[in-house]
Amino acid sequence: MRDSSIKTSIEKAIGEQPWLTEEVLHQMIRPHYKPNKEKRSLSKVLIPSVVTFAIALFAFILWNTETQPVQPEVAAFNYEAISNAIEDPQVENAFITYLKSIENEDYASFEAVSTTDLVASPKEVFEKYQTIDLDTFRLISVTESQGEPVTFLVAAFAYKDASNEVLKTYTVDQGDGTQMTVSEDFYGEYPEYTPFTFPETVTLNYEEIPTVQEISFHPDLIEQQASVGEEGTVSIAAFQDGEFDVVFATDQKSYYLTRLSVPEVGSLDVQPFMVQDTGETAYMLQAEGYGLIGVLFMDERIHFVGTSPEVVSASQFDLDGDGTEEWLLDDEGVQVIRFEDGAFQSAILQSEIRRDPFPDSVFTYNLDVPRGDVFIETTLLEGEKRVKYHFNSTELLQKVQ
Amino acid sequence: MNAQTDLEQIIRQHGEELLRLAYTYVKNRQTAEDLVQDVFLKAFVKQTDFRGDSHYKTYLYRMVMNRCKDYLRSWHYRKTILMEPFQGASSGRPSSDLSEDNAVLGHQVLVLPIKYREVLVFYYYKELSMREIAELLNVPENTVKTRLQRGRKQLKLNLERGGYDARFFYQNEY
């Protein structure tokens, strides 16, 4: 038997008075209402025009067919490339079936493999794909969910009337194990996709800083270093100054300077990943035997690098299938790095919480905060005193004495 | 019967519960009204070519759920919510009053992570079966059961941390 007190309590929290008042009802209808009369009168004008145009067009096609063969270029999905991008044959089969049913406007096949029809009719889906330039459609990310038998596919494509590309997410769900189903984010506001190439490995080149200890960056300096980027997209340099500073340049105009405490001469492994929700490309920087040393966002505004130069203590927390958090304690304080589906999501550095004393208990839980942010509660010992901290991924919210 | 009457009839029939359902996701009344209005218009426009097998009410549930999740994923929401004052689950004083505890319980349901909140809302508030919830969320039935268990566990934990009476969980196991 179900607990009716929970139902009652939700009613209390939401409000027991009716919401759908006459005023709300009419607000919902009025702004979008178009009388049928208008449609009818418009149809009287439009239909004869459309019929006339269609006849003329048909006559032109017949004439054109006789005079020269028509060789239409029909855009289609690149199934070979899509197949190559997906490792799991079952996922591949389901997704290819899904796309073919859309391309062929095959209702039966679509409904057999799709669950998108729960939010949009097949006709609506088919019509939407007619506006897409299928030649541009390609998969750029295939991620298996760690918690459930679900695979997320992210595709990039352009609409026929637009030059920019957008990202769209598809979900292939194994369900009860008998059949894969595919759904897509139909009503989403798709983020724009701006591909950015970054070398897989960049080598740090050291140079003594001649006089001043404080680095002042000059654009010419980058030219003196070994540029590892192609087409002037990225260069990296390092300077020996107790620590090593690394300069990144995304193009000839924008430069980023950051200080990474890289322990010794070596190379940085660079792992590109896509930030969920935004589709932004970012990079995890790692040195051999050193773990994560930085995360780099390369868009115009955001540049964030988190460092964990001397990790004294590390803890990892599983957020109930929502992802993991890694807590690293070093001289700088506590750094919390959040991952979802293995991809970096966010990082914070809480300098107020020092490494000594170490936390005697730490636990996290996720409250109702936006995706990517986590409400964290930690209890630390400050001397003999236990102090509770609350913070999320961006700031310390409160210190509870 | 004209289009306006048709639309009005659909809204009268389903509006109240869809508004409340949307609120459990977005927790803002005006936003809930906007999103539900959007769903009604989309549902109304395509009702003639709707070919899904699911019941129309379930279909509307699904649309509201997806529309709300789209909204919660949007940057607009994320920026808005970050500017609002934070209210932790443990805020407020403990109470021995059962009716007050009841109100707190409802509030605590609404601050759970969405994946747990929605199964609790559909199971207890909308009184759907596990099977129906599984179909609605497009996840296996066992996943629903797991989320329900974890949601209850999280709810209990949050209540206990806040010093509230968590007796519901000892008395009522589903």
Side-chain angles (χ1 to χ4, degrees), chain B:
Chain B
M1 189 178 283
N2 61 27
Q4 186 179 22
T5 314
D6 287 346
L7 180 58
E8 185 178 326
Q9 189 180 2
I10 294 174
I11 296 177
R12 279 192 191 282
Q13 193 175 351
H14 301 286
E16 181 72 34
E17 66 173 329
L18 292 189
L19 282 170
R20 288 169 178 272
L21 176 62
Y23 183 83
T24 65
Y25 282 93
V26 299
K27 290 178 289 181
N28 179 292
R29 196 160 171 161
Q30 184 58 51
T31 304
E33 287 177 11
D34 291 344
L35 296 178
V36 169
Q37 181 191 32
D38 192 30
V39 165
F40 272 129
L41 291 168
K42 282 192 169 72
F44 180 71
V45 166
K46 67 186 180 193
Q47 62 179 339
T48 51
D49 60 59
F50 172 68
R51 293 166 58 100
D53 294 325
S54 56
H55 188 275
Y56 192 61
K57 183 174 158 185
T58 310
Y59 166 71
L60 290 174
Y61 274 3
R62 177 91 187 201
M63 284 189 78
V64 168
M65 188 180 80
N66 282 299
R67 190 70 190 84
C68 290
K69 286 180 181 176
D70 283 346
Y71 172 76
L72 294 174
R73 278 197 291 262
S74 69
W75 280 106
H76 169 75
Y77 168 75
R78 297 181 65 165
K79 283 177 184 169
T80 304
I81 203 74
L82 280 173
M83 291 169 67
E84 291 177 356
F86 176 83
Q87 293 183 333
S90 303
S91 59
R93 289 193 196 88
S95 165
S96 58
D97 184 324
L98 191 58
S99 65
E100 193 178 329
D101 278 351
N102 209 352
V104 171
L105 174 63
H107 174 72
Q108 292 299 324
V109 170
L110 296 184
V111 297
L112 285 172
I114 282 181
K115 65 194 290 187
Y116 302 138
R117 189 196 320 161
E118 65 184 359
V119 291
L120 284 169
V121 166
F122 283 127
Y123 187 77
Y124 291 108
Y125 183 52
K126 294 297 180 189
E127 299 184 333
L128 299 185
S129 67
M130 297 254 196
R131 181 72 197 155
E132 287 171 320
I133 298 171
E135 285 174 5
L136 191 64
L137 300 178
N138 195 25
V139 297
E141 207 169 322
N142 278 341
T143 303
V144 175
K145 194 170 181 181
T146 304
R147 288 183 185 174
L148 202 53
Q149 285 171 336
R150 287 182 179 173
R152 287 172 58 89
K153 189 178 171 186
Q154 182 78 70
L155 191 56
K156 178 184 169 191
L157 192 65
N158 289 352
L159 284 167
E160 287 176 344
R161 277 179 189 154
Y164 289 101
D165 187 349
R167 74 186 71 170
F168 308 99
F169 299 96
Y170 301 110
Q171 294 174 350
N172 301 288
E173 292 298 329
Y174 62 87

Side-chain angles (χ1 to χ4, degrees), chain A residues 96-230:
Chain A
I96 294 289
T97 305
Y98 181 80
L99 295 182
K100 282 187 174 172
S101 73
I102 290 172
E103 190 175 326
N104 300 325
E105 299 197 357
D106 181 343
Y107 282 83
S109 176
F110 181 79
E111 289 180 350
V113 73
S114 165
T115 51
T116 305
D117 61 341
L118 289 173
V119 293
S121 71
K123 184 180 175 186
E124 197 176 3
V125 176
F126 298 159
E127 285 175 350
K128 185 154 193 173
Y129 275 83
Q130 287 171 7
T131 65
I132 293 174
D133 180 358
L134 299 184
D135 284 339
T136 64
F137 188 97
R138 63 198 184 282
L139 287 181
I140 59 167
S141 163
V142 178
T143 312
E144 285 183 27
S145 172
Q146 294 175 338
E148 296 173 47
V150 172
T151 302
F152 299 103
L153 311 174
V154 179
F157 61 82
Y159 288 101
K160 287 176 180 171
D161 59 355
S163 57
N164 60 322
E165 292 189 312
V166 295
L167 293 169
K168 185 177 205 174
T169 303
Y170 296 81
T171 305
V172 182
D173 193 334
Q174 196 169 348
D176 59 3
T178 56
Q179 187 192 3
M180 293 270 187
T181 55
V182 183
S183 62
E184 63 180 81
D185 184 11
F186 192 76
Y187 295 114
E189 292 174 5
Y190 311 126
E192 189 168 332
Y193 177 51
T194 50
F196 183 85
T197 53
F198 199 99
E200 289 183 2
T201 301
V202 290
T203 303
L204 298 178
N205 300 287
Y206 297 125
E207 183 172 284
E208 294 290 341
I209 298 174
T211 50
V212 290
Q213 292 301 301
E214 185 178 343
I215 295 172
S216 59
F217 176 68
H218 188 280
D220 290 340
L221 188 59
I222 204 74
E223 303 299 333
Q224 297 170 17
Q225 309 305 313
S227 174
V228 294
E230 293 179 0

